[in-house]
């Protein structure tokens, strides 16, 4: 791996140095404690500095994050060396500000080999060239990655055929090394924007494969995938290879182009199953009918038979991979409450009234508002269209918020109809907005809805 200019002074030597961190001795029962940016720098130093006998110092060592780290970390764990320990994020989040636009293998962790990273979230931004991932740039043989959640924006500056860019993982390269197996990835989700103009780009994983197959299961993208390219680009995994095992993969996020694949990109594996994507938010010309669902079909337990028991289901919400509690973060809950369009509509072509998910109410409702006045969102989540054009919907849940842009076309006539008699005390109006004291047979507006009077 190319050497990098470090952001702090590190003495490289062939002798092990005493580790302090915020406590711990590095054993499974007494892990090194990571509590601040200085501890992350120390871990980076430990990963890059060989021990006295030339071995990797993190091998067989355990690390645990004790709290969220909100001071942006601008470095990486593993510029030169492989991380081979066990990093337990404890369900906490690390804020990143990694800006290495000309460097490869960029992420919170550079390369993880025969090590584990789990129960961790990251936020902020990550910029690199090739092999760029929010949490791990380049996992390889026998890496164990699970319960990982990316909120950061991940960007590649590369235009190469294998840029390998993903929200959680950049590119998995597992080589044939004796009896060593491939990497294992499970229960991971991306919520950030993933962008780049090279090939092999996906919401969760950019590339996976090489000489030894990897096992990938129960991962989902909820974020935005953007590129001017169209080769090996998909909502969840850009380029899984033929010898991978890929199961229970979902894309609920948005794509910048209809030329991308909804969920999996080029070179589908032979051991594959249970792949779904939302055709209304991830509208694609690369249609795979067996994988496509309308948003309404995805809510609640609608896909439990397909996705299985490693997901969390709630009424009116999208499924979430069970990430040992990370699936209940404000951002995860917010992104699981979608815009629910009428059959045949998609985000860039809305012709009928629709609904927005308010969540399941366990920890309060998701609050929606329309910013341009083209849509009226009612208390029950019904969204009434009042005009054509571009509307920006803002959803808020506790500390998290997001925008969803929709393009409203000319509506195709009556789409919400109540059948009623001409009784009641509310104001009746004709389709020109004029009050009518005694409505006769015809179509009127009452309480904001179109009504047929017989």
């Amino acid at each position: 791996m190319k050497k990098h200019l470090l952001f702090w002074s590190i003495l490289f030597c062939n002798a092990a140095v005493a580790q302090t961190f915020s406590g711990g001795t590095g054993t499974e029962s007494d892990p090194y404690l990571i509590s601040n940016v200085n501890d992350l720098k120390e871990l980076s130093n430990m990963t890059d500095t060989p021990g006295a006998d030339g071995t990797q110092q993190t091998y067989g060592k355990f690390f645990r994050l004790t709290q969220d780290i909100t001071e942006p970390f601008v470095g990486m764990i593993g510029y030169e060396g492989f991380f081979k320990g066990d990093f337990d994020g404890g369900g906490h989040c690390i804020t990143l500000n990694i800006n290495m636009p000309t460097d490869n293998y960029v992420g919170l962790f550079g390369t993880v080999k025969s090590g584990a990273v789990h129960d961790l979230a990251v936020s902020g931004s990550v910029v690199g060239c090739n092999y760029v991932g929010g949490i791990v740039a380049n996992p390889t043989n026998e890496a164990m990655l699970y319960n990982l959640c990316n909120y950061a924006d991940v960007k590649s500056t590369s235009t190469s055929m294998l840029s390998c860019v993903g929200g959680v993982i950049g590119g998995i390269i597992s080589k044939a090394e004796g009896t060593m197996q491939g990497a294992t990835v499970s229960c991971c989700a991306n919520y950030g924007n993933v962008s780049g103009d090279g090939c092999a780009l996906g919401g969760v994983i950019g590339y996976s494969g090489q000489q030894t197959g990897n096992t990938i299961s129960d991962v989902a993208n909820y974020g935005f995938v953007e590129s001017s390219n169209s080769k090996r680009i998909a909502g969840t995994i850009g380029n899984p290879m033929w010898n991978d095992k890929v199961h229970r993969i979902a894309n609920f996020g948005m794509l910048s182009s209809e030329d991308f694949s909804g969920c999996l990109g080029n070179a589908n594996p032979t051991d594959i199953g249970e792949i779904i994507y939302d055709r209304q938010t991830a509208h694609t010309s690369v249609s795979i009918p067996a994988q496509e669902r309308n948003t309404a079909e995805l809510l609640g337990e609608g896909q439990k038979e397909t996705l299985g028991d490693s997901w969390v289901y709630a009424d009116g919400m999208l499924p979430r991979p069970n990430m040992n509690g990370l699936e209940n973060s404000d951002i995860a809950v917010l992104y699981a409450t979608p815009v629910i369009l009428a059959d045949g509509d998609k985000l860039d072509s809305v012709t009928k009234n629709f609904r927005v998910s308010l969540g399941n109410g366990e920890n309060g409702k998701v609050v929606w508002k329309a910013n341009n006045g083209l849509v009226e969102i009612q208390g029950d989540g019904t969204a009434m269209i009042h005009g054509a054009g571009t509307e920006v919907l803002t959803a808020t849940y506790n500390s998290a918020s997001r925008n969803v842009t929709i393009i409203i076309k000319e509506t195709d006539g009556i789409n919400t109809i109540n059948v009623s008699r001409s009784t009641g005390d509310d104001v009746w109006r004709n389709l020109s907005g004029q009050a009518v004291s005694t409505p006769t047979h015809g179509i009127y507006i009452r309480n904001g809805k179109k009504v047929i009077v017989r």
Side-chain angles (χ1 to χ4, degrees):
M1 194 181 301
K2 181 180 177 181
K3 292 182 179 292
H4 301 268
L5 294 176
L6 303 186
F7 295 93
W8 54 85
S9 175
I10 296 177
L11 176 63
F12 288 96
C13 60
N14 288 325
V17 294
Q19 309 301 334
T20 57
F21 297 102
S22 288
T25 58
T27 64
E28 186 172 5
S29 61
D30 186 31
Y32 288 126
L33 302 181
I34 309 294
S35 302
N36 51 51
V37 165
N38 287 333
D39 290 337
L40 292 175
K41 293 177 182 178
E42 186 170 2
L43 178 54
S44 179
N45 184 12
M46 185 180 183
T47 304
D48 284 336
T49 307
D53 58 357
T55 60
Q56 169 53 251
Q57 288 196 72
T58 60
Y59 182 74
K61 301 296 184 182
F62 292 81
F63 307 83
R64 188 173 73 230
L65 187 63
T66 64
Q67 61 183 5
D68 293 350
I69 296 180
T70 57
E71 178 186 352
F73 181 52
V74 300
M76 284 174 48
I77 298 170
Y79 291 92
E80 300 291 338
F82 296 165
F83 179 78
K84 293 189 173 185
D86 182 293
F87 188 97
D88 179 359
H92 298 296
C93 182
I94 298 175
T95 302
L96 304 176
N97 184 17
I98 302 174
N99 187 25
M100 300 179 178
T102 61
D103 291 313
N104 300 327
Y105 305 100
V106 176
L108 173 61
F109 289 85
T111 297
V112 176
K113 181 176 183 179
S114 300
V117 180
H118 56 96
D119 297 283
L120 174 67
V122 300
S123 63
S125 67
V126 176
V127 180
C129 191
N130 297 306
Y131 290 89
V132 185
I135 298 181
V136 184
N138 174 219
T140 183
N141 297 79
E142 298 187 351
M144 298 284 293
L145 308 174
Y146 57 97
N147 300 341
L148 300 177
C149 197
N150 176 62
Y151 310 133
D153 291 338
V154 177
K155 180 179 180 180
S156 165
T157 60
S158 173
T159 58
S160 76
M161 288 295 294
L162 278 179
S163 58
C164 304
V165 185
V168 178
I169 296 166
I172 309 173
I173 303 294
S174 294
K175 299 180 180 179
E177 295 186 17
T179 60
M180 294 192 74
Q181 302 297 308
T184 300
V185 180
S186 63
C187 296
C188 297
N190 172 64
Y191 299 90
N193 296 333
V194 180
S195 61
D197 294 328
C199 300
L201 183 147
V204 179
I205 301 170
Y207 177 87
S208 173
Q210 291 296 319
Q211 299 154 337
T212 301
N214 305 298
T215 300
I216 305 169
S217 62
D218 304 300
V219 303
N221 175 58
Y222 302 82
F224 182 58
V225 175
E226 182 179 16
S227 179
S228 62
N229 207 321
S230 61
K231 297 178 180 179
R232 309 182 190 183
I233 298 179
T236 308
I237 306 175
N239 191 171
M241 293 298 287
W242 63 271
N243 52 356
D244 286 339
K245 298 177 181 179
V246 179
H247 289 269
R248 300 179 299 282
I249 312 297
N251 177 38
F252 309 118
M254 294 177 279
L255 309 176
S256 69
S257 172
E258 293 185 359
D259 294 331
F260 303 164
S261 180
C263 197
L264 301 183
N266 188 48
N268 285 338
T270 54
D271 189 345
I272 183 175
E274 308 88 44
I275 312 298
I276 60 173
Y277 66 90
D278 188 330
R279 66 174 141 217
Q280 294 181 288
T281 58
H283 184 70
T284 172
S285 60
V286 188
S287 177
I288 306 176
Q291 300 178 6
E292 298 176 344
R293 306 287 191 277
N294 282 345
T295 308
E297 298 176 89
L298 298 167
L299 303 179
E301 295 188 352
Q303 300 302 313
K304 187 172 183 179
E305 185 175 345
T306 299
L307 295 176
D309 295 330
S310 294
W311 296 67
V312 174
Y313 306 92
D315 290 343
M317 298 178 65
L318 297 170
R320 290 161 284 162
N322 189 331
M323 299 177 286
N324 198 24
L326 287 171
E327 72 280 359
N328 295 319
S329 72
D330 288 351
I331 292 177
V333 170
L334 180 67
Y335 276 75
T337 54
V339 174
I340 308 164
L341 299 175
D343 189 15
D345 280 2
K346 50 193 173 107
L347 290 178
D348 62 356
S349 182
V350 178
T351 65
K352 303 178 182 68
N353 292 337
F354 56 92
R355 293 184 294 128
V356 293
S357 171
L358 304 177
N360 63 6
E362 289 184 0
N363 300 305
K365 285 186 176 181
V366 174
V367 177
W368 291 82
K369 71 174 182 178
N371 295 288
N372 297 338
L374 301 178
V375 172
E376 176 190 353
I377 300 178
Q378 300 178 351
D380 64 354
T382 301
M384 306 293 295
I385 295 173
H386 292 309
T390 299
E391 180 62 274
V392 179
L393 307 175
T394 300
T396 304
Y397 179 74
N398 295 336
S399 64
S401 65
R402 68 168 178 141
N403 291 331
V404 178
T405 299
I406 63 173
I407 299 176
I408 303 170
K409 306 294 185 179
E410 292 296 332
T411 58
D412 58 5
I414 301 170
N415 45 67
T416 300
I417 299 175
N418 287 345
V419 179
S420 174
R421 305 294 298 181
S422 58
T423 59
D425 299 326
D426 295 331
V427 176
W428 294 78
R429 300 183 184 276
N430 60 27
L431 295 182
S432 298
Q434 299 169 319
V436 177
S437 58
T438 306
T440 57
H441 298 290
I443 302 172
Y444 297 86
I445 303 294
R446 188 187 190 196
N447 293 328
K449 296 183 177 181
K450 293 176 181 176
V451 180
I452 295 178
V453 177
R454 294 174 177 171

